[in-house]
Amino acid sequence: MTTVREQTAPALQTLPGPRGLRARLARRRGQGDEPEQRRVLSSSDWRRPAVKWVWRAMHFLLLLLLLVCCVGPIFLLVKFAFTPTQDIQATPLKFFPNGWTLDNITMAWTRYRIGKYFLNTVWVALGSWFCQVLVATTGGYVLSVLRPRWAKALNWAVLTTLFVPAVVLLIPLYKIIVNPPIGDSLINNYFAVWLPAGASAFDVVLVARFFDSLPREVFEAARVDGAGPFRVFWSIVLPMSRPIIGVVSVFAVIASWKDFLWPFLVLQSDTVKPLSVYLQSMANVDKGTLMAALAISTSIPIVMFLLFQRMFLSGAGTGGAVKG
Amino acid sequence: MSTVAETVRPSPGPSPDREVPPGTRTPPGPARRTRSPRTWLQGGGLSSLLFALPLLLVFGIFSWWPIISAVVMSFQKTNLIDPAQWVGLDNFRAVISDPLMPRVVANTAWFALLALVLGYPVPLIGAVLMSELRRRRGLYSVLAYLPVVVPPVVAVLLWKFFYDPGPAGVFNTILGWVGIGPVGWLNSQTMAMPSLVLEATWAAAGGTVIIYLAALVAVPPELYDAAEVDGASVWGKIWHVTLPQLRGVLFITLILQIIGTAQVFLEPFLFTNGGPNHATETIMLRVYNLAFTTLGSNFGQATALSLLLAVFLAVLSIIYFRLTRSWSQS
């Protein structure tokens, strides 16, 4: 990490090119200890004691606030999961006044069978993930690499849907699920969630833009060697686009984990109901059990987030806003 | 679709007999354009179509068709059981003359306004502070983003417990420490909406912080150097360099937040189901009630209302982008 420290040396600050490159490399190497890219405060600012202490204090305050406001509620949730119901209700902020218990967890798991609904959510997420990746990669391949004459019209048609707010789709989509063009009603069928999830213009645009950035020469070379469009897609484009597929996957899984209204409308039977819909119906059970159920269903997304932080945080920067 | 491709597809390349993959950037062959199905096939038209098939089917059935059908349904009386009847503008008339409508619109506007006041400056201040960190910026962003990954239903049910109106409720206990006495939170007509907004802000602010952090990295450092040469103080640099440079992102997040909050559903539905006394019933909840609760089951009116909201948001965004175009570019 010595190079990282060197970076802040004023002499290097004047060289824009290599500094940027090194900063980027170092950022990739080190996790949290990011080398200082020049921001508002310069090194000379940092040397002034007044500025230094004011900003240090503000940073410390911010850390406290983040711990209390962002982590606090989640910490309380975990604590509630192991606290007897009476204590949760009478003294929610006391730290295990009468000891802790595993009853809530076992109750949620065995009597309310959280595990089963957990599995349903996994199915919902997996299918939505597959649908989104399939549509986004094949669609992106057509729009960016194959580029038939009608690609422009198609691109335009996909882009327009980005500007249609979700409200408009709700009821007509429900009508289509109840009376699909082929076959019987899809209510209580996972396909009712999987297929509409695939119609994500955001994913298609993201993947197509990534494909645009792949070097064309590789495709040309493969074609010269006699690879057809399917071969190029499977053996060249897909392996090269692992990063973007990762981003799309994380978003897809998280989105289906969070989704409530749509599964609530179309997956109502107990055999297919995902966790989010089930939790809503649990709202009035014993508080301890409810808190345990909530804690269990939060654990997976949080573990996923901590494992794939980089993907989440960079993905949110690129376009999380559009996805909402 | 295929006919369009057949007619406009140019001759694929220099050797028409060999299968030439589509999209090859070789200059189109000499002015020979035989637009027969055979050349289209050889030019890879079929494989393009096959690759586009998942997108065409999924978007066609679950995106493009519903959009069209939303417009159609708003002119019909339909409830999924009886055959649909054309009723002209009746749905729109019914929606506008609905006695609850002013209340619902005002509630939604109130939610959006509170969410702006609460949720707009906080992530910005946080992000500006965080971007000045020399160490452990990763830790700060992880902490800030943590609430975003909590499933919304979990967050709402958890906060619903926090908002327990009794003196032993979590928030009332905390307020009790400083001698403020139990607040009704979700049971009080005036406090219910701010309570919803507080939770919504908690759940969303982290995402905005990350967007601002990404935008802050893109501010050219030379500008700060230049400001320093001109003798700008730290606050001067933030005010005259950072904020103006963030303009574009700030404008976008503002309109996206308005579009998002105008469609708020989950919080009012799960926290209060529109109560107490319709104090938190928003437009989306009204759409839901019109369409899916037993007394309504009126898909036509619900679609009409959702279309009105969508058109309003579209007009708002157009006006907004017109107004801010001159400021956000320079």
Side-chain angles (χ1 to χ4, degrees):
Chain A
M1 272 309 178
T2 44
T3 48
V4 177
R5 296 283 168 265
E6 276 165 23
Q7 222 110 69
T8 47
L12 277 172
Q13 299 258 323
T14 49
L15 302 167
R19 179 172 51 83
L21 182 68
R22 262 196 232 171
R24 232 176 295 141
L25 284 177
R27 210 172 300 150
R28 206 173 284 171
R29 235 182 299 131
Q31 270 282 44
D33 284 359
E34 207 164 299
E36 202 34 53
Q37 193 215 348
R38 171 80 165 80
R39 301 282 156 87
V40 175
L41 296 180
S42 63
S43 303
S44 58
D45 281 332
W46 274 111
R47 276 194 292 273
R48 279 163 51 201
V51 172
K52 185 172 152 188
W53 290 112
V54 165
W55 280 82
R56 283 220 173 146
M58 285 196 302
H59 282 151
F60 182 69
L61 216 73
L62 181 67
L63 185 65
L64 278 186
L65 270 176
L66 285 177
L67 282 174
V68 170
C69 300
C70 297
V71 186
I74 300 169
F75 173 79
L76 273 182
L77 174 63
V78 177
K79 195 206 78 148
F80 289 156
F82 296 99
T83 311
T85 305
Q86 295 93 322
D87 291 347
I88 298 179
Q89 275 168 330
T91 51
L93 289 172
K94 288 235 172 78
F95 196 73
F96 300 125
N98 297 310
W100 58 284
T101 172
L102 279 175
D103 288 356
N104 298 333
I105 303 275
T106 46
M107 192 72 166
W109 195 263
T110 53
R111 172 109 189 274
Y112 289 93
R113 298 167 70 200
I114 287 295
K116 179 184 143 194
Y117 300 95
F118 200 88
L119 213 64
N120 287 348
T121 303
V122 171
W123 278 116
V124 168
L126 271 181
S128 309
W129 166 79
F130 178 77
C131 241
Q132 286 187 8
V133 170
L134 177 77
V135 170
T137 51
T138 53
Y141 187 56
V142 172
L143 292 177
S144 163
V145 182
L146 295 181
R147 288 195 208 171
R149 270 304 168 94
W150 37 272
K152 223 173 186 175
L154 189 63
N155 192 28
W156 182 84
V158 169
L159 273 180
T160 351
T161 63
L162 265 183
F163 298 96
V164 178
V167 208
V168 177
L169 289 178
L170 186 69
I171 292 155
L173 208 50
Y174 183 77
K175 204 179 166 195
I176 284 173
I177 295 299
V178 176
N179 294 312
I182 32 167
D184 284 337
S185 158
L186 285 175
I187 294 291
N188 292 330
N189 186 327
Y190 285 128
F191 278 103
V193 175
W194 291 347
L195 295 176
S200 158
F202 175 77
D203 286 348
V204 176
V205 171
L206 201 67
V207 171
R209 249 204 274 148
F210 182 84
F211 285 176
D212 283 340
S213 72
L214 293 176
R216 302 280 129 171
E217 296 79 11
V218 184
F219 306 152
E220 303 286 326
R223 274 176 203 141
V224 171
D225 289 347
F230 287 90
R231 189 70 202 272
V232 171
F233 178 69
W234 189 254
S235 313
I236 297 177
V237 173
L238 280 190
M240 283 175 93
S241 45
R242 256 186 226 137
I244 198 69
I245 293 178
V247 169
V248 170
S249 303
V250 167
F251 277 141
V253 171
I254 284 299
S256 51
W257 206 274
K258 289 180 131 190
D259 203 7
F260 171 74
L261 177 56
W262 186 243
F264 175 73
L265 287 176
V266 296
L267 299 180
Q268 299 211 321
S269 122
D270 264 358
T271 48
V272 289
K273 202 183 254 186
L275 207 46
S276 61
V277 179
Y278 182 62
L279 289 176
Q280 185 262 343
S281 64
M282 272 181 80
N284 292 322
V285 305
D286 169 73
K287 278 285 172 290
T289 315
L290 174 68
M291 290 300 157
L294 295 182
I296 294 172
S297 43
T298 316
S299 58
I300 289 279
I302 288 196
V303 167
M304 264 188 75
F305 167 59
L306 294 178
L307 284 179
F308 302 109
Q309 310 170 13
R310 194 139 294 258
M311 223 173 241
F312 275 80
L313 297 179
S314 65
T318 51
V322 188
K323 192 137 186 170
Chain B
M1 223 24 147
S2 64
T3 47
V4 180
E6 274 166 38
T7 45
V8 292
R9 177 99 204 148
S11 130
S15 55
D17 294 334
R18 216 185 106 228
E19 211 222 29
V20 175
T24 1
R25 288 268 191 74
T26 46
R32 202 177 66 93
R33 283 168 192 259
T34 44
R35 290 163 181 169
S36 75
R38 192 159 164 263
T39 41
W40 173 75
L41 207 65
Q42 281 169 342
L46 186 66
S47 57
S48 300
L49 201 61
L50 275 178
F51 271 110
L53 209 58
L55 188 146
L56 289 175
L57 280 178
V58 167
F59 270 78
I61 300 173
F62 300 104
S63 191
W64 297 326
W65 173 243
I67 292 172
I68 298 166
S69 120
V71 178
V72 174
M73 278 169 79
S74 65
F75 295 105
Q76 288 177 332
K77 191 174 168 59
T78 168
N79 58 7
L80 292 183
I81 303 152
D82 307 320
Q85 267 176 281
W86 284 94
V87 292
L89 288 172
D90 280 6
N91 287 328
F92 291 95
R93 266 185 225 120
V95 162
I96 290 169
S97 59
D98 181 349
L100 262 179
M101 203 43 58
R103 187 74 196 265
V104 167
V105 172
N107 284 340
T108 311
W110 181 226
F111 184 96
L113 184 74
L114 279 176
L116 269 187
V117 171
L118 219 68
Y120 197 63
V122 173
L124 179 63
I125 296 169
V128 169
L129 281 177
M130 277 162 72
S131 84
E132 294 310 316
L133 282 165
R134 309 198 123 191
R135 291 160 55 223
R136 293 199 220 97
R137 191 178 313 145
L139 172 72
Y140 280 71
S141 5
V142 166
L143 292 183
Y145 201 72
L146 213 50
V148 183
V149 290
V150 175
V153 176
V154 173
V156 170
L157 292 180
L158 179 65
W159 278 68
K160 201 172 178 177
F161 175 68
F162 290 169
Y163 285 135
D164 189 336
V170 173
F171 286 154
N172 279 341
T173 310
I174 296 172
L175 288 183
W177 293 341
V178 286
I180 302 172
V183 175
W185 300 113
L186 300 168
N187 288 353
S188 129
Q189 281 199 44
T190 45
M191 277 308 290
M193 197 59 108
S195 310
L196 263 57
V197 174
L198 197 64
E199 186 276 338
T201 307
W202 178 78
T208 322
V209 168
I210 301 301
I211 294 168
Y212 289 152
L213 275 179
L216 282 165
V217 173
V219 175
E222 298 82 31
L223 294 179
Y224 293 126
D225 294 330
E228 213 159 286
V229 170
D230 292 344
S233 67
V234 172
W235 300 113
K237 279 186 272 185
I238 290 177
W239 188 252
H240 294 292
V241 178
T242 312
L243 292 183
Q245 284 291 312
L246 283 187
R247 243 170 0 201
V249 177
L250 287 171
F251 286 145
I252 294 277
T253 48
L254 180 70
I255 190 76
L256 283 177
Q257 193 184 341
I258 292 172
I259 292 174
T261 49
Q263 301 178 59
V264 65
F265 172 81
L266 191 84
E267 279 84 8
F269 181 67
L270 288 181
F271 268 125
T272 52
N273 203 2
N277 191 19
H278 301 289
T280 56
E281 186 160 351
T282 58
I283 296 180
M284 261 306 269
L285 194 57
R286 188 81 194 128
V287 168
Y288 172 86
N289 285 335
L290 279 172
F292 297 108
T293 52
T294 40
L295 70 140
S297 193
N298 191 337
F299 280 65
Q301 273 187 37
T303 329
L305 179 54
S306 68
L307 265 187
L308 284 179
L309 177 61
V311 168
F312 169 75
L313 290 177
V315 171
L316 186 76
S317 331
I318 292 170
I319 294 173
Y320 182 79
F321 281 113
R322 279 275 159 83
L323 280 180
T324 57
R325 194 171 44 188
S326 52
W327 303 329
S328 53
Q329 302 166 346
S330 65

